[in-house]
Amino acid sequence: MIRYKAATIFGFLGIMASLAFGETTVMDEARKSFDSKDFETTVALLVDEIKNNPGHEEAYALLAQAYEKQGKKEEAIDTWSRLQTITNDLDREQEARLGLLRTRGPDVPDIEPGERWENDPYRVEVSVNWDKLKADADGAKVTYINKYPPIVDESFYFQVIGCTEYSTEVATKLCEAYTKFLLSKYFVQGQEWVLRVPIIIYKNHQDYVQKGGFSASSAGVTYSDTRTGVPIFIAMYMLDEDGNMDRECFEGTLPHEITHMVLHEFFGGNDVPRWLDEGLARRMEQSRKHYEEAAKTGRDAIAGEYYRFRSLFDQKEYPARGDRTWRFYEQSATIVLFLLEQGGPDSAAAFLQALKAGKSHDEAAAGALGIPVEGAVDEFEKRWFEWARNCYIMFRDKLDNNETVESEVLPPTTFPESFDTEKTIEKIQNWSEIKTTSMNKFKDLGESNRYWKIENNKLVCTIEQSPRGSLLGVRMNEEAPMVMRCKVRAVNASNLEPTLFGIAMLDHRGDDSGIQVMVQLNDRSPHQLSCVVSEDIAIYLDGVCCGRTPALLAEEINEDIDWPLAFVGYAPVEISDIEAGLIEADGFVRVEPPAEEKDKDKKGGRRRKK
């Protein structure tokens, strides 16, 4: 039985009496009581309203919000779920979806660690007899009609125009499977789509270029109405220039182009964010090893080689340089993968629907992750960075160890804070020594003292190769902006088995904040390591930036942090000569652009690279 306070009962009876005389409506009074923070009355009114009118969607929405205000999480989740079930309105469904993400949190798919490398949970399984398809295409003598293939097959969503009966049938089956997957996994179910979009499939690359008139450098194209987003057609081919069956066209190009088609129509002619357009299309390519690429992206991110999210989300054009274009595609695809893996289809749908409605990336990220709007993109980036880092740690033994990461490819826009690190550190006059004669200056985190000790005036980590690592807090008085530096030596490192070493940020309780930067040590020589903490936390090995991520800002906590940083050992290391120094207000030494760049600015701006 529900019990109400006396004042609430009398207030409720008064409202019901006024309703009997037709002075107001239940929803009017419910909104008034909600605005006045009388949530008990709000709930009582709306429960009764829903009992009398089970299809009243606005009542469900307001009732769920009232439960949230009361801190009744389970009741709010149940009410949002019921609203999501009964509504056919896309805006109301999005409201319910956001309510569930806010109260219940993302519905994280059940994926066991280690399964992900070979078993992509979002792969579209379609069986194709590739040998038969190759033989069918080889033996086809195609007579093009007005430069188009002669066979036409119509399905629910497509009109497939192909060269043979069998190849057209296979392409139709794939097109339908890819599209239905997109509608169920990424987009809002129930969304209406243009039907029977033409898919033109030429026999070979030569016909695609000569008969279709398409670029020889393209594997497929999608044409859409730029005003409405309505797709016009997709074109591709079966056999490559050497006459081999190009499975990439069916498993890579086809789902890639269909994703562009569906996404553009979903946005209805509004601008699709460039990163999302390419990242989602890349993610749908069935031929890609998505977790291998996530591990590579994580390795690069550890080395500081990644787009900061706000910079990436603001990109209107493709990056000018080839290596940056590649990173643009790959990072964008891993962000979509991260969103799906960590939040499930509802998070992806909430994110896309928010951007479609013209919301900011902060608002979209907040809804998808169930977090506050302020700084949501930065939190999104932190979570993605940690996930990508863990992908690398988990799968690094599967990667090609001969591949290298070149730090010079980072454009200035990636790291908005442009200062000369070496000169900035040199400008620090006063350094505080952190003595390594005992463990007094170091804080145990999670029984990490099992792996850390003082030996010959050096701090030694004895942990064997571990994907989790062991944290040890470092006590210091310095606050950001500051620098901590030391010498570090990996005991067992080699090119074949490198040692990871990191520096993490701790909060005012001395707990791990999840913010970490890392370096990879490939030999057993001592190296100079510096960690600069400002708005970012960045780690430098022998003067080269190896990792950077947004920092935990102490002023947001308003409490003293005794252990601001922690060493993170993933394998045996020795640390010595530890010291910390403050960067004064005028301590950052800014990087001056080259003389020729200054001249360009004076003449009216920089020239864009082609």
Side-chain angles (χ1 to χ4, degrees):
M1 178 181 293
I2 300 175
R3 301 181 182 275
Y4 300 104
K5 296 177 182 178
T8 301
I9 293 174
F10 290 127
F12 177 66
L13 292 175
I15 291 170
M16 297 307 295
S18 66
L19 293 178
F21 291 100
E23 294 178 4
T24 186
T25 68
V26 172
M27 290 307 300
D28 286 338
E29 292 301 333
R31 282 188 288 269
K32 286 181 182 178
S33 59
F34 184 89
D35 291 341
S36 63
K37 300 182 180 181
D38 182 2
F39 302 121
E40 287 190 45
T41 298
T42 305
V43 169
L45 285 166
L46 293 174
V47 167
D48 192 61
E49 169 64 16
I50 290 172
K51 182 178 180 181
N52 295 325
N53 185 4
H56 197 158
E57 296 179 6
E58 185 183 359
Y60 279 102
L62 192 58
L63 176 60
Q65 293 175 62
Y67 281 138
E68 283 191 55
K69 295 294 186 182
Q70 288 181 310
K72 296 181 177 179
K73 181 178 177 180
E74 295 303 320
E75 289 86 345
I77 292 171
D78 179 67
T79 307
W80 284 126
S81 297
R82 290 164 67 191
L83 175 59
Q84 191 177 40
T85 301
I86 67 170
T87 186
N88 291 317
D89 180 81
L90 294 179
D91 291 336
R92 190 69 76 184
E93 184 179 8
Q94 175 73 346
E95 183 180 16
R97 180 182 294 108
L98 293 175
L100 285 171
L101 289 167
R102 188 170 57 246
T103 52
R104 183 189 63 199
D107 187 14
V108 180
D110 185 16
I111 302 172
E112 290 295 327
E115 280 186 357
R116 295 175 294 183
W117 182 262
E118 300 294 345
N119 182 21
D120 182 350
Y122 289 97
R123 179 173 173 80
V124 182
E125 296 296 342
V126 182
S127 177
V128 175
N129 187 332
W130 296 105
D131 292 336
K132 181 179 178 181
L133 188 62
K134 168 77 163 62
D136 181 69
D138 278 339
K141 294 183 179 179
V142 184
T143 301
Y144 289 91
I145 302 171
N146 294 326
K147 298 185 177 182
Y148 294 110
I151 308 299
V152 178
D153 184 17
E154 289 193 346
S155 65
F156 190 75
Y157 292 112
F158 299 99
Q159 181 186 61
V160 180
I161 305 167
C163 297
T164 69
E165 294 283 353
Y166 182 66
S167 65
T168 305
E169 175 188 330
V170 169
T172 301
K173 180 169 67 173
L174 289 169
C175 288
E176 287 292 319
Y178 294 146
T179 304
K180 289 175 182 177
F181 178 89
L182 281 166
L183 300 187
S184 64
K185 295 293 186 182
Y186 292 100
F187 296 91
V188 181
Q189 295 185 19
Q191 173 76 38
E192 294 183 1
W193 307 95
V194 170
L195 303 182
R196 296 196 171 90
V197 176
I199 308 284
I200 307 167
I201 304 179
Y202 292 87
K203 175 180 177 178
N204 52 38
H205 180 265
Q206 182 179 355
D207 290 350
Y208 171 80
V209 175
Q210 294 181 355
K211 300 293 185 182
F214 303 109
S215 170
S217 63
S218 67
V221 292
T222 299
Y223 284 87
S224 299
D225 189 317
T226 56
R227 297 167 300 166
T228 63
V230 173
I232 300 172
F233 71 87
I234 293 173
M236 50 178 285
Y237 55 86
M238 290 188 291
L239 304 178
D240 64 21
E241 295 174 81
D242 297 323
N244 298 316
M245 170 56 62
D246 195 342
R247 288 184 56 169
E248 177 66 23
C249 280
F250 285 97
E251 294 189 308
T253 302
L254 186 59
H256 184 108
E257 298 301 332
I258 285 176
T259 304
H260 281 316
M261 176 199 77
V262 174
L263 188 60
H264 284 217
E265 187 185 356
F266 177 77
F267 272 78
N270 295 328
D271 288 338
V272 182
R274 179 70 70 183
W275 77 271
L276 179 64
D277 197 10
E278 295 301 343
L280 187 56
R282 192 86 157 188
R283 175 66 187 97
M284 267 299 292
E285 293 177 18
Q286 302 296 294
S287 55
R288 306 195 73 80
K289 296 180 179 179
H290 296 285
Y291 284 100
E292 178 178 346
E293 290 167 0
K296 289 179 179 178
T297 301
R299 178 188 59 193
D300 295 353
I302 290 170
E305 288 295 308
Y306 71 100
Y307 280 99
R308 298 298 296 273
F309 274 29
R310 294 195 184 277
S311 175
L312 181 70
F313 295 165
D314 286 341
Q315 293 269 358
K316 303 300 181 186
E317 303 294 337
Y318 294 104
R321 291 180 56 178
D323 48 4
R324 296 306 299 161
T325 301
W326 174 85
R327 198 177 304 283
F328 170 84
Y329 273 94
E330 293 305 320
Q331 184 177 335
S332 298
T334 64
I335 292 172
V336 175
L337 177 61
F338 164 78
L339 190 59
L340 274 169
E341 184 186 298
Q342 299 299 297
D346 263 353
S347 283
F351 190 84
L352 290 166
Q353 188 75 0
L355 292 178
K356 175 188 176 181
K359 305 290 186 183
S360 68
H361 275 86
D362 275 302
E363 292 171 298
L369 300 177
I371 59 178
V373 173
E374 186 176 355
V377 165
D378 303 315
E379 178 63 25
F380 190 11
E381 180 179 332
K382 290 177 184 178
R383 295 187 185 189
W384 169 86
F385 183 94
E386 181 67 16
W387 170 85
R389 183 182 72 87
N390 288 337
C391 281
Y392 170 61
I393 293 173
M394 185 178 298
F395 300 126
R396 62 185 173 183
D397 60 319
K398 298 176 181 288
L399 299 180
D400 182 355
N401 289 321
N402 293 322
E403 293 185 12
T404 59
V405 179
E406 299 179 2
S407 60
E408 69 270 18
V409 301
L410 281 173
T413 54
T414 305
F415 297 160
E417 186 176 57
S418 179
F419 61 90
D420 187 316
T421 307
E422 186 174 349
K423 291 182 179 178
T424 297
I425 294 176
E426 288 176 354
K427 198 173 180 181
I428 298 175
Q429 297 294 318
N430 299 312
W431 291 91
S432 301
E433 180 186 2
I434 299 169
K435 294 184 178 181
T436 52
T437 54
S438 72
M439 294 292 291
N440 291 339
K441 289 289 186 178
F442 306 101
K443 175 182 175 65
D444 170 46
L445 276 82
E447 300 183 357
S448 62
N449 57 0
R450 292 182 299 167
Y451 304 111
W452 294 87
K453 63 182 180 178
I454 299 296
E455 192 174 274
N456 297 325
N457 285 337
K458 292 180 180 178
L459 180 65
V460 178
C461 177
T462 61
I463 192 171
E464 295 303 319
Q465 286 280 359
S466 166
R468 295 179 59 86
S470 175
L471 281 76
L472 187 75
V474 184
R475 188 180 188 95
M476 59 187 75
N477 295 321
E478 287 74 13
E479 297 180 349
M482 54 83 67
V483 178
M484 181 181 73
R485 65 184 183 183
C486 63
K487 288 183 180 177
V488 60
R489 187 181 81 85
V491 176
N492 300 322
S494 68
N495 281 323
L496 293 179
E497 293 188 18
T499 290
L500 287 179
F501 181 74
I503 293 182
M505 299 196 76
L506 306 183
D507 62 20
H508 62 285
R509 295 181 298 272
D511 296 330
D512 183 12
S513 69
I515 300 171
Q516 186 177 150
V517 286
M518 300 173 67
V519 297
Q520 180 172 291
L521 304 169
N522 299 317
D523 59 43
R524 302 176 189 182
S525 302
H527 294 274
Q528 181 67 42
L529 184 142
S530 301
C531 180
V532 180
V533 183
S534 55
E535 291 183 354
D536 294 344
I537 175 172
I539 193 167
Y540 297 81
L541 191 68
D542 298 327
V544 177
C545 181
C546 297
R548 185 189 295 268
T549 191
L552 175 71
L553 300 180
E555 59 265 25
E556 294 179 357
I557 298 176
N558 294 323
E559 294 189 46
D560 290 336
I561 300 182
D562 295 326
W563 317 87
L565 299 177
F567 293 124
V568 189
Y570 292 90
V573 293
E574 296 177 349
I575 306 167
S576 61
D577 300 336
I578 310 170
E579 53 188 1
L582 282 171
I583 301 175
E584 302 296 339
D586 61 348
F588 287 103
V589 180
R590 300 291 168 181
V591 174
E592 289 294 326
E596 59 183 29
E597 293 294 319
K598 290 182 179 180
D599 293 340
K600 288 178 185 178
D601 290 340
K602 291 177 181 178
K603 293 177 181 178
R606 300 171 184 246
R607 293 178 293 179
R608 293 181 59 189
K609 295 180 180 179
K610 299 292 185 183

